[in-house]
């Protein structure tokens, strides 16, 4: 009998013992082993176990309730989903995700490669660091994983098997509430609205029935369109980065959904990075982010189209007009989700440091208004946003409107 034969939430000492048992391939220097809990996400516990000889492992464990709110009870099976998708993503996009050493459905925990030579991208964005390879790398990851799991290229029965395996109702339920519902009505009274923009939020988000109609369309689309195996939470806190490399992690929200959800999340979170840089006058950084916005949209589109052409297996999808239609819908969805993510991180329950750490009240209010103004345009006029330049143009138009 081992103490890890039944589930309990580990503390740092348990994680050291657990690492010894679960990662025996590392010759741990037992006397110098240490552990720190380093999780800063909303849901899980993350332990970094090290020893004095330079060995290390990251242990991630799912708790039965969310860290952000003990009212949120969650199935710990999300840890299995996350581990299995990381293994699959590693096959589709080698080198773009951390290596998984093991996962354990009893303790709802997995062990993965320690990426301490990388940093969490949101933290790096808050320091206004520039990563010239990011747009190329993230677009490769998205093109390969997202296109690689579609019905366009996959055997349809194998695809349905993946869809079954990665059905993820509880975490989808969180997204349906936090992204697609509450930012528009605060129905559970858990929105966080920055008081200086409360009236603006009421007029622009809570009272706009036309906007609600568009969001309802997008919500039903998110819930029903099993297009590809999406990450489901691809913000800058789900990316490890350094000068040379980009690694995507934390895919516990993954399921078969519209692929624009992931691309839109990347774009929106880069806009938050831009807003933070703009508030403190980090000009070089903002210029780089603006280029990233353009490049991520264009490069992802180009790489997906190429992947489509080279890997298409479905007979009807070999039609060129259909391919063009398909690519256009992805960019349209990307625009819509950019808007949805911008709005929910500004007014919803789960905010982002890029915005909340802007100390000057007037500057924060301006940044929030710019994000919301751009967001409404990204959602309502999503059919017009056809290339990277249009995405940047939407941000510039919003700045001009807010500053007028
Ligand atoms: C209750 S979880 C809140 C948010 O954190 C996660 O990272 C997802 O973005 C989710 O919406
Ligand atoms: Mg997360």
């Amino acid at each position: 009998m081992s103490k890890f034969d039944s589930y309990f939430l580990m503390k740092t000492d348990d994680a050291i013992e657990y690492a010894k048992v679960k990662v025996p391939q590392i010759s741990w220097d037992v006397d110098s082993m240490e552990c720190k809990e380093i999780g800063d996400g909303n849901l899980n516990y993350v332990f970094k176990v090290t020893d004095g000889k330079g060995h290390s492992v990251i242990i991630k464990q799912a708790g039965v309730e969310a860290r952000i709110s003990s009212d949120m009870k969650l199935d710990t099976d999300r840890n299995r989903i996350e581990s299995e998708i990381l293994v699959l993503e590693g096959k589709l996009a080698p080198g773009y995700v951390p290596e998984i050493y093991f996962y354990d459905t009893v303790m709802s925990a997995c062990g993965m490669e320690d990426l301490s030579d990388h940093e969490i991208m949101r933290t790096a964005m808050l320091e206004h660091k520039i990563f010239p390879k990011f747009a190329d790398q993230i677009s490769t990851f998205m093109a390969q994983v997202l296109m690689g799991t579609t019905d366009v290229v996959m055997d349809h029965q194998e695809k349905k098997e993946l869809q079954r395996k990665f059905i993820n109702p509880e975490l989808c339920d969180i997204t349906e509430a936090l992204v697609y519902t509450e930012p528009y009505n605060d129905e559970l009274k858990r929105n966080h609205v920055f008081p200086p923009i409360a009236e603006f939020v009421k007029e622009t988000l809570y009272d706009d029935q036309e906007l609600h109609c568009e969001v309802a369309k997008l919500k039903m689309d998110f819930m029903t369109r099993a297009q590809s195996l999406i990450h489901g939470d691809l913000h800058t806190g789900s990316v490890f980065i350094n000068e040379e490399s980009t690694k995507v992690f934390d895919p516990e929200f993954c399921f078969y959904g519209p692929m624009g959800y992931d691309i839109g999340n990347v774009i929106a979170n880069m806009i938050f990075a831009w807003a933070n840089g703009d508030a403190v006058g980090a000009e070089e950084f903002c210029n780089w982010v603006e280029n990233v916005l353009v490049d991520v949209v264009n490069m992802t589109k180009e790489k997906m189209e190429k992947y489509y052409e080279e890997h298409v297996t479905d007979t009807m999808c070999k039609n060129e007009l259909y391919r063009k239609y398909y690519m256009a819908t992805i960019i349209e969805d990307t625009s819509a989700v950019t808007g949805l993510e911008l709005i929910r991180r500004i007014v919803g329950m789960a905010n982002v440091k890029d915005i909340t750490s802007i100390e000057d009240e007037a500057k924060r209010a301006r940044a929030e208004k710019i994000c919301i103004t751009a967001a409404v345009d990204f959602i309502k006029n999503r059919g017009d946003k056809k290339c990277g330049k249009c995405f940047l143009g939407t941000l510039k138009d919003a700045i001009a409107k807010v500053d007028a």
Side-chain angles (χ1 to χ4, degrees):
M1 273 290 276
S2 141
K3 75 190 258 191
F4 304 113
D5 284 347
S6 57
Y7 177 86
F8 69 96
L9 200 54
M10 289 188 278
K11 300 262 185 276
T12 50
D13 284 349
D14 305 311
I16 292 178
E17 260 186 79
Y18 190 65
K20 286 187 221 161
V21 175
K22 289 287 177 183
V23 199
Q25 64 272 37
I26 293 182
S27 327
W28 294 107
D29 181 47
V30 172
D31 294 338
S32 63
M33 281 177 89
E34 284 180 3
C35 177
K36 260 194 192 159
E37 204 281 311
I38 57 166
D40 67 349
N42 295 323
L43 300 181
N44 302 299
Y45 297 84
V46 183
F47 302 95
K48 180 171 168 177
V49 180
T50 56
D51 73 7
K53 291 200 169 152
H55 300 119
S56 59
V57 66
I58 299 294
I59 307 273
K60 181 167 178 182
Q61 186 179 31
V64 292
E65 55 192 36
R67 288 180 89 157
I68 193 176
S69 157
S70 56
D71 293 342
M72 274 188 183
K73 310 293 175 211
L74 292 170
D75 190 340
T76 52
D77 184 50
R78 67 187 187 275
N79 189 268
R80 174 204 53 93
I81 291 180
E82 168 166 1
S83 308
E84 289 183 352
I85 178 77
L86 279 171
V87 172
L88 177 63
E89 286 174 346
K91 287 182 186 147
L92 290 163
Y96 285 97
V97 293
E99 186 186 339
I100 292 291
Y101 298 146
F102 72 88
Y103 70 92
D104 171 1
T105 51
V106 175
M107 289 294 287
S108 296
C110 62
M112 68 182 101
E113 183 184 4
D114 174 18
L115 291 170
S116 294
D117 55 339
H118 293 61
E119 58 187 317
I120 297 208
M121 188 169 180
R122 194 179 306 283
T123 312
M125 295 298 93
L126 288 168
E127 291 165 13
H128 308 131
K129 292 185 182 166
I130 287 172
F131 297 93
K133 296 186 178 172
F134 173 67
D136 184 38
Q137 292 172 337
I138 197 72
S139 57
T140 298
F141 170 81
M142 291 193 291
Q144 291 179 194
V145 171
L146 296 176
M147 272 314 302
T149 52
T150 59
D151 280 301
V152 172
V153 308
M154 279 191 81
D155 172 85
H156 297 170
Q157 291 201 17
E158 282 174 21
K159 180 259 178 171
K160 286 184 183 68
E161 179 54 26
L162 278 187
Q163 193 180 341
R164 186 195 62 73
K165 190 169 167 186
F166 291 107
I167 190 151
N168 198 354
E170 283 198 352
L171 295 209
C172 284
D173 199 49
I174 291 179
T175 303
E176 288 151 25
L178 295 192
V179 179
Y180 288 91
T181 307
E182 292 173 33
Y184 304 93
N185 50 37
D186 199 14
E187 67 178 7
L188 295 184
K189 297 283 168 267
R190 54 187 188 177
N191 281 357
H192 297 155
V193 176
F194 187 45
I197 70 155
E199 192 50 37
F200 177 81
V201 167
K202 183 179 174 309
E203 278 168 22
T204 317
L205 302 179
Y206 296 169
D207 291 347
D208 186 342
Q209 291 302 314
E210 192 200 327
L211 177 67
H212 293 189
C213 173
E214 295 311 312
V215 176
K217 290 181 200 169
L218 295 164
K219 180 177 180 179
M220 294 303 114
D221 199 53
F222 177 82
M223 294 171 75
T224 57
R225 188 144 56 95
Q227 186 178 36
S228 63
L229 197 45
I230 67 171
H231 178 285
D233 200 22
L234 193 41
H235 54 82
T236 49
S238 297
V239 173
F240 280 121
I241 197 157
N242 66 25
E243 286 276 321
E244 293 305 320
S245 141
T246 297
K247 304 245 187 198
V248 173
F249 69 110
D250 217 7
E252 66 199 318
F253 282 78
C254 86
F255 80 114
Y256 256 92
M259 61 172 91
Y261 193 81
D262 280 356
I263 315 166
N265 261 270
V266 172
I267 300 294
N269 281 275
M270 290 313 292
I271 292 177
F272 294 135
W274 175 92
N276 184 285
D278 182 63
V280 297
E283 203 178 323
E284 194 191 346
F285 174 77
C286 287
N287 290 338
W288 169 71
V289 176
E290 290 178 14
N291 288 332
V292 167
L293 296 177
V294 175
D295 290 346
V296 168
V297 173
N298 292 344
M299 288 178 167
T300 307
K301 188 176 170 208
E302 280 158 24
K303 290 175 190 180
M304 281 188 168
E305 196 151 14
K306 188 161 182 279
Y307 195 102
Y308 187 129
E309 282 170 345
E310 288 174 359
H311 295 88
V312 59
T313 57
D314 182 278
T315 314
M316 296 307 288
C317 293
K318 289 180 181 163
N319 176 288
E320 200 186 322
L321 290 176
Y322 179 75
R323 191 187 73 234
K324 291 205 168 115
Y325 157 82
Y326 186 92
M327 293 312 305
T329 64
I330 292 169
I331 300 306
E332 184 173 327
D333 292 345
T334 298
S335 172
V337 175
T338 300
L340 293 164
E341 172 75 358
L342 283 171
I343 289 170
R344 74 91 166 214
R345 295 291 189 185
I346 299 285
V347 305
M349 175 192 186
N351 313 110
V352 286
K353 247 190 176 165
D354 315 52
I355 299 297
T356 57
S357 67
I358 299 173
E359 279 173 14
D360 181 289
E361 197 171 281
K363 286 185 177 164
R364 175 169 166 187
R366 175 177 175 269
E368 295 200 358
K369 283 185 178 178
I370 289 171
C371 290
I372 291 175
T373 303
V376 172
D377 189 1
F378 276 125
I379 293 171
K380 287 187 174 171
N381 302 311
R382 57 192 179 279
D384 300 338
K385 317 292 178 197
K386 297 189 190 302
C387 63
K389 218 171 125 199
C390 306
F391 278 67
L392 180 58
T394 303
L395 174 61
K396 299 274 178 183
D397 289 349
I399 300 167
K401 202 167 166 189
V402 169
D403 288 344

